[in-house]
Amino acid sequence: MCPEPAQASPDEGAALIAAALDAMNAVAFICDGAGRVDALTRAATEWLGSEPGLRLAEDRLHGRSPEGDRLLQSALERAGSPGAAGEGSHFWLRGEGGVANSQLCEVLALPRIGLGGGARRRFLILIRKPADPGPAQRHSLQTLLGLTPAETDVAMLAAEGIGREQIARRRGTSFETVNAQMKSLFNKASVTREAGLVALLNRLIH
């Protein structure tokens, strides 16, 4: 009879994932639903010392403001909800220079496999500053999802975390038109939630 394979402890599993992300120079944290950090990458350690978005205190991630704390906890709750279905959640960390210096914070619930039998659910938090997408990324997005030019415009703005009302103002269209275009984007991207759409768009264009 073959022995059962040894299962990594939660801390070992988190460290293995962090080590893999280290190789990609990713700013990444592995934490539980309360923001308690089990592992982080070297790039994340450097990022904490140079960026204003989050801070680490007593092994727990916090926002540097009450609003930042609220956004982080809300994202963790959304990512861990049954309805998330692997889509995760995201929010924007606003820089001192406003939207131009914002960074995208993506939160994904990790599968329990490989993280041991601990009761705490683990989450992967990735921080990145999106590059300015050029014509090539725009064309790829339009081709991959079969978007119209207007839908592509809306998708590019939504990927920046811009809300529907502001998209309508920027494009000189009605809120109802943007809602219809977003509904079409949901269908073409095969997602059911705006968080899932934004996460997918950012993976495709950055």
Side-chain angles (χ1 to χ4, degrees):
M1 188 172 180
C2 295
E4 292 186 6
Q7 188 179 33
S9 72
D11 288 342
E12 288 172 339
L16 287 170
I17 295 170
L21 291 165
D22 250 337
M24 297 184 287
N25 199 34
V27 177
F29 304 85
I30 296 171
C31 67
D32 66 7
R36 285 188 290 270
V37 174
D38 294 313
L40 69 163
T41 60
R42 287 187 295 272
T45 301
E46 295 172 2
W47 180 86
L48 284 168
S50 61
E51 296 291 341
L54 298 175
R55 62 188 177 88
L56 188 62
E58 297 181 351
D59 296 326
R60 184 173 176 269
L61 274 178
H62 300 265
R64 291 188 180 271
S65 67
E67 175 66 7
D69 246 352
R70 186 191 66 76
L71 289 171
L72 175 61
Q73 286 304 313
S74 178
L76 287 166
E77 289 169 10
R78 290 197 309 273
S81 68
E87 292 180 356
S89 63
H90 79 283
F91 64 96
W92 289 87
L93 295 167
R94 303 296 182 186
E96 292 180 357
V99 175
N101 291 324
S102 296
Q103 297 182 78
L104 182 66
C105 180
E106 292 186 276
V107 183
L108 300 167
L110 292 171
R112 297 180 189 277
I113 298 172
L115 288 178
R120 290 190 299 153
R121 184 74 184 268
R122 261 61 175 193
F123 297 86
L124 172 63
I125 297 179
L126 290 168
I127 311 277
R128 57 195 177 87
K129 186 171 184 177
D132 184 21
Q137 289 89 341
R138 179 187 173 89
H139 177 73
S140 295
L141 181 65
Q142 188 169 348
T143 302
L144 283 169
L145 298 181
L147 306 181
T148 66
E151 288 168 350
T152 305
D153 287 343
V154 171
M156 300 292 279
L157 292 169
E160 294 178 27
I162 297 172
R164 298 186 189 195
E165 290 185 358
Q166 192 173 353
I167 290 174
R169 287 197 297 270
R170 285 198 182 192
R171 303 199 66 249
T173 59
S174 69
F175 182 72
E176 289 73 21
T177 297
V178 173
N179 273 342
Q181 290 164 331
M182 289 293 287
K183 183 177 180 180
S184 178
L185 285 170
F186 282 6
N187 290 333
K188 292 181 178 181
S190 299
V191 298
T192 58
R193 294 157 54 97
E194 197 154 336
L197 176 65
V198 172
L200 174 63
L201 292 172
N202 275 285
R203 292 188 188 105
L204 292 176
I205 65 179
H206 296 300

